[in-house]
Amino acid sequence: MEDGRLMREEKRLIVQLIPKPLWGMAGREAVGKYKWDKIRKEIYRMAGYRCEVCGGKGHQHPVEAHELYLFEDGKITCVGVIALCPQCHRSVHPGRCNCLGRDIYLQARENLAKVNNISIDAAQHYYEECFVEWRELSKFTQWEMDFSWLDKFYEDLKNG
């Protein structure tokens, strides 16, 4: 799976489907709501309340926090948090979009294609490849998780 940091560096949407055994173990659960809120709000501020990939903003709220991961040898490491507009955030969660309905999924795929400057067919192929990889990764049940980036970011924020 691609390094999540490339999303910010290359201004490109990258899908990182979390293996099923790790569902419900996001960064906000790892550090707690208070720390997560401080971290995400600082990420929003640093991004100027704009999507770090497309530069846009949402209608109800400008941006949302999305964790960036690195997957290596049975270990998932949080390597950052990025501010994404709601439309781009949906686009990197095709599984959730599919559960919300076909129209939501198709909108997400269309946005992925537009932002990444690829065809709809290429976006669909990319989603399919991500799901194949997700199925393989989900077979592995013994994952190590590292959320130390969030703790360090919070400590740096707190210490000014």
Side-chain angles (χ1 to χ4, degrees):
M1 191 171 298
E2 285 186 277
D3 182 339
R5 291 172 286 204
L6 294 174
M7 192 179 310
R8 178 178 283 128
E9 293 168 14
E10 297 179 3
K11 303 285 188 227
R12 171 172 64 94
L13 295 174
I14 295 173
V15 175
Q16 295 186 303
L17 298 174
I18 303 301
K20 196 170 185 176
L22 302 177
W23 285 358
M25 296 184 213
R28 69 181 156 267
E29 285 78 24
V31 297
K33 183 177 175 15
Y34 178 81
K35 284 184 182 179
W36 176 252
D37 283 345
K38 294 288 186 192
I39 291 166
R40 72 178 177 84
K41 288 175 182 177
E42 178 62 12
I43 295 294
Y44 301 162
R45 187 196 66 72
M46 290 169 58
Y49 301 93
R50 291 196 151 312
C51 180
E52 293 185 63
V53 175
C54 79
K57 291 183 174 187
H59 298 293
Q60 292 182 331
H61 53 277
V63 290
E64 300 170 347
H66 178 74
E67 293 137 288
L68 305 173
Y69 292 105
L70 181 62
F71 289 79
E72 294 178 313
D73 303 321
K75 181 177 181 181
I76 179 173
T77 304
C78 179
V79 291
V81 177
I82 190 170
L84 296 177
C85 67
Q87 193 170 10
C88 283
H89 199 196
R90 274 191 301 275
S91 295
V92 298
H93 291 288
R96 184 170 190 280
C97 290
N98 206 26
C99 292
L100 295 172
R102 187 75 178 151
D103 288 344
I104 302 294
Y105 174 85
L106 295 175
Q107 289 168 7
R109 185 185 67 184
E110 184 177 324
N111 186 67
L112 178 91
K114 181 179 97 181
V115 171
N116 286 359
N117 197 29
I118 59 176
S119 69
I120 294 288
D121 287 344
Q124 179 62 35
H125 182 71
Y126 177 59
Y127 276 171
E128 289 169 3
E129 286 178 338
C130 290
F131 282 112
V132 167
E133 185 175 31
W134 172 79
R135 282 190 284 282
E136 286 303 310
L137 291 174
S138 291
K139 291 176 184 176
F140 187 71
T141 58
Q142 300 298 316
W143 286 93
E144 181 183 342
M145 299 184 76
D146 179 356
F147 288 104
S148 59
W149 185 94
L150 294 172
D151 289 321
K152 183 178 180 335
F153 187 88
Y154 176 77
E155 288 303 316
D156 290 348
L157 182 61
K158 189 172 80 171
N159 295 326

